[in-house]
Amino acid sequence: MDMNSGLYVDSVSYSNNGKPILNAVFLKCERGEILGILGRNGAGKSTLMKVVFGTVSASYKFCRIDGKIFKKGYQTGEIAYLPQRHFLPADITVRSAVSLLTSKYRDRLLRVPIIKTYYTAKIGQLSGGIRRFVEVLLILHHDAPYVLLDE
């Protein structure tokens, strides 16, 4: 195993209003590996993912993908992130979302029955469960080799 390969996150520290949430957190994941982060509510799991993705700023972090240092994961094109809450705008169609978020695996996604069924529907017209399922499918068919699922 090459020590510079994969997603490498080290020394993540984050505080909220002076309360430490994350302290010296380390994470390493290879392409194709599935890694779960377990903890109680409020333990910092979501915060860690947001720090890695780049939507929350940590007081300190060191992150790299395949040896290349990055500050915001979303800028690399190597990390996709599914937040806890809906992230797709209500007024776009499933077709538009598929077009925007997938390319490499688009043909595979378009064969999924639920995508075929709701392809022309607006995201906001879907039930909460269907909408979430569509979001999960879109993220899992994203081109990024690393996918963060905050569920």
Side-chain angles (χ1 to χ4, degrees), residues 98-112:
V98 167
S99 179
L100 288 169
L101 295 173
T102 67
S103 62
K104 189 174 179 181
Y105 305 106
R106 183 177 298 152
D107 290 341
R108 185 184 313 172
L109 177 62
L110 291 175
R111 289 192 300 269
V112 175

Side-chain angles (χ1 to χ4, degrees), residues 49-57 61 70-74:
M49 285 188 250
K50 291 173 187 175
V51 166
V52 172
F53 191 62
T55 54
V56 167
S57 296
K61 72 176 178 181
F70 68 89
K71 297 283 185 202
K72 297 183 182 290
Y74 67 83

Side-chain angles (χ1 to χ4, degrees), residues 49 52-53 65 73-74 76-83 101 138-150:
M49 285 188 250
V52 172
F53 191 62
I65 296 176
Y74 67 83
T76 68
E78 300 284 314
I79 299 174
Y81 172 59
L82 178 70
L101 295 173
L138 285 163
I139 291 298
L140 291 177
H141 287 83
H142 194 282
D143 294 349
Y146 300 98
V147 178
L148 306 175
L149 302 174
D150 195 356

